[in-house]
Amino acid sequence: MEGTVDGFRYGAVTPVAAYLMACLGGALGLRCIVRTLLSTQSWKAGWLALGAASIGCGIWTMHFIAMIGFQVVETRIRYDAGLTVLSLAVAIVVVGIGVFIVGYRGASTLNLSFAGVITGLGVAAMHYLGMAALHLNGTIRYDATAVTLSVVIAIVAATAALWAAVTIRGFLTSLGASLIMGVAVTGMHYTGMSAVSVHVHDRTGGSWAGDSPTSLLLPMLLGPAIFLLLAGVVVMFDPLLLGEGDWNRPSANTADTARPSDSPVGDQPGRQDQEARVIHARAPQDPHWAAPHSPQR
């Protein structure tokens, strides 16, 4: 029997919340990568790792918030805890590979393409590994065309995110890039979910045993959510990111130093005044002494 698949059990609540988490993770990741570009003397590996973890946690949190709204009407849904945690690790590690490739090898077309493909495949692997953690009283089937399209979207989204990370440095432009990234990642998820169909078994048994969505996903989501909150605090109060708008702006002292002091025209009145003061200081009591003639201005 074909099951009735519904990905919007709670209406627009889960898609909107999932999108916001994807945007938050993307924004924090982009800002961390920008931090390594602003100063090559900072702890580059640490900031790149923080950026990769932020993006990975954002993508993973987006996926499982969206999955809270997923249901098959004819059967209950359970999750395997081990595969769920493994999908989080895959998301962070694979995104990290792409981020470190671009961060250390540069943003050439070859590097971006290679890193984008790896990261996109990792995001897709996280998605379908998370789907493998799903247990129910039935068999999950996938439409090959929709699966392929979701993988392509993941690769394009990952490549665009890496390009934005090394190209866009301003706060507002980074924010806009993260919003676009959130659309791409969430679109990849729901494209992949459109490939799902479920053949429900007539019998009941232990094939769908596991933890319920509320008992597993809600507590597990707290960890990545708290991590993103702490990462946001670190990024918000980093002095280099707060003052990034002033890095290319000449200071007032620089402007004063750059003022020409040896100009024969601009400095001539000052020299004449100085000579006059010297002459008057040297004036002796000798009545035969006479001041030199000063040219009339």
Side-chain angles (χ1 to χ4, degrees):
M1 179 179 66
E2 288 298 318
T4 305
V5 177
D6 181 13
F8 304 95
R9 181 179 182 179
Y10 300 105
V13 174
T14 49
V16 171
Y19 169 72
L20 293 177
M21 293 306 296
C23 292
L24 176 61
L28 292 176
L30 292 179
R31 299 304 291 167
C32 289
I33 298 172
V34 166
R35 176 61 166 77
T36 66
L37 300 177
L38 290 176
S39 175
T40 57
Q41 298 178 352
S42 62
W43 189 32
K44 188 172 187 177
W47 283 101
L48 290 176
L50 181 60
S54 298
I55 296 174
C57 285
I59 294 172
W60 185 88
T61 306
M62 174 277 302
H63 172 84
F64 282 102
I65 286 178
M67 290 303 296
I68 291 176
F70 176 80
Q71 69 171 343
V72 179
V73 177
E74 292 79 8
T75 179
R76 289 179 292 173
I77 295 176
R78 305 286 180 176
Y79 285 89
D80 180 88
L83 287 177
T84 303
V85 174
L86 180 60
S87 65
L88 173 60
V90 168
I92 294 175
V93 170
V94 179
V95 170
I97 293 174
V99 167
F100 272 78
I101 288 175
V102 174
Y104 278 97
R105 298 182 63 88
S108 65
T109 302
L110 180 61
N111 289 336
L112 278 175
S113 301
F114 182 62
V117 169
I118 291 179
T119 306
L121 291 176
V123 171
M126 180 279 301
H127 174 85
Y128 290 104
L129 188 60
M131 291 299 296
L134 188 150
H135 292 175
L136 46 77
N137 184 35
T139 302
I140 299 177
R141 298 171 179 172
Y142 295 94
D143 177 73
T145 302
V147 170
T148 302
L149 180 59
S150 69
V151 174
V152 172
I153 293 175
I155 293 174
V156 173
T159 305
L162 293 174
W163 174 85
V166 298
T167 305
I168 299 174
R169 301 193 182 188
F171 174 76
L172 293 180
T173 49
S174 293
L175 179 61
S178 67
L179 295 178
I180 297 173
M181 180 181 173
V183 170
V185 173
T186 309
M188 174 267 166
H189 171 83
Y190 283 103
T191 300
M193 294 307 297
S194 69
V196 174
S197 62
V198 178
H199 179 76
V200 179
H201 299 158
D202 293 331
R203 61 181 177 83
T204 59
S207 61
W208 48 277
D211 296 315
S212 65
T214 53
S215 65
L216 175 68
L217 296 184
L218 289 179
M220 289 188 68
L221 288 170
L222 288 177
I226 293 174
F227 171 81
L228 290 175
L229 178 62
L230 295 177
V233 172
V234 172
V235 171
M236 286 176 59
F237 291 98
D238 180 73
L240 188 59
L241 285 174
L242 288 175
E244 67 171 319
D246 298 328
W247 278 92
N248 296 322
R249 185 182 302 167
S251 63
N253 293 334
T254 304
D256 293 339
T257 306
R259 183 186 299 124
S261 59
D262 297 330
S263 172
V265 176
D267 197 42
Q268 190 66 26
R271 288 185 178 180
Q272 291 178 355
D273 294 339
Q274 184 178 4
E275 291 175 358
R277 288 194 297 270
V278 172
I279 290 172
H280 288 292
R282 293 172 53 191
Q285 299 299 325
D286 187 355
H288 299 289
W289 183 88
H293 175 70
S294 298
Q296 185 177 3
R297 297 184 184 177

